[in-house]
Amino acid sequence: MGWIDITMPLHNGIAHWPGDTPFSYTLSAPMEETGSVNIGEITTSTHTGTHADAPFHYHETGATIDALPLETYVGPALIITAIGVQTINQALLETYDLTGVRRLLIKTKTKTDSTVFPTDIPYVTEDGANYLLKKGVSLLGVDVPSVDPLTSKDLVGHHSLGKANIAIIENLMLDHVEAGLYEFIALPLRIVGGDGSPVRAIIKPLESD
C-alpha cells in the first residue's frame, strides 16, 4: 500500500476558528490575463485545517514554527482508536501499549465534515500530557481543531504538552484509516516567526515484525 493522505483539504468552504481569518484561494491572475501562466493567492489563519502548533502560539516566549526540529515531524507513528472519548487522560492512554512510541495519532471519530466547526471536542489533560512524556512521546496528533476545550482560555492541554516538549498537530483526518503503526510525514512550512503552519500529513503502513 502506498502513501495515504490524512490532511483536511483546504477549500473556500472549510470551517475555521470563529473570529479567525477564513481560508480563501483566488485565481488572482488567470492565464487569459497573463498570457502564459495562472497565478493564485491564498489568505488563511495558520490554524485552519490540518496544522502544527508552535509553542509561540500559546506562550509569548515559545519557539516559533521555523525553529522546531524537522525530525519530530517525520518517522514512525502509532494510530490508536478512541472513538467518542471526552478526555485524553492518563487513564485512557494507559489502556494502550505505547512502548517505544515517539509519535502518537489519536482517532476519536468516524466521520469529519470539513465545512462544520465542532461544538465539543475531546481534550488533553495535564496528567495525560505527563503520561505521554513518561512514555517518551515527542509528537501528538489529534483529529479535532485543538487539544483543549474550544472555550478554554488557560489552555491546560497546550501548556502541559509544551512543558513536556511534545509537538502538537491538530485537525488530522483519520476517518479512513485503521489503528496501527505507520510511517508519518507532516512537515510545517518554514514561516519565520510563525505561531503555527499548515501541514501536508501523509502515512504509509509499516509491516510489523
Side-chain angles (χ1 to χ4, degrees), residues 46-47 50-54 65 187-191 194-199:
T46 51
H47 300 273
T50 307
H51 64 278
D53 281 355
I65 199 70
L187 293 173
L189 300 176
R190 193 176 185 181
I191 303 173
D195 62 300
S197 168
V199 300

Side-chain angles (χ1 to χ4, degrees), residues 76-143:
L78 179 68
I79 295 179
I80 61 174
T81 301
I83 305 298
V85 298
Q86 294 182 325
T87 54
I88 300 171
N89 56 20
Q90 180 173 339
L92 170 70
L93 295 168
E94 284 178 337
T95 64
Y96 301 90
D97 183 4
L98 302 183
T99 304
V101 174
R102 291 203 59 205
R103 301 165 192 85
L104 179 66
L105 314 181
I106 304 180
K107 177 179 178 177
T108 66
K109 54 186 175 178
T110 58
K111 186 177 181 180
T112 298
D113 183 348
S114 65
T115 67
V116 177
F117 197 81
T119 57
D120 189 36
I121 60 171
Y123 57 91
V124 177
T125 64
E126 183 176 11
D127 74 323
N130 291 339
Y131 183 75
L132 292 178
L133 172 63
K134 177 182 176 182
K135 301 301 290 187
V137 172
S138 60
L139 179 144
L140 177 66
V142 294
D143 59 356

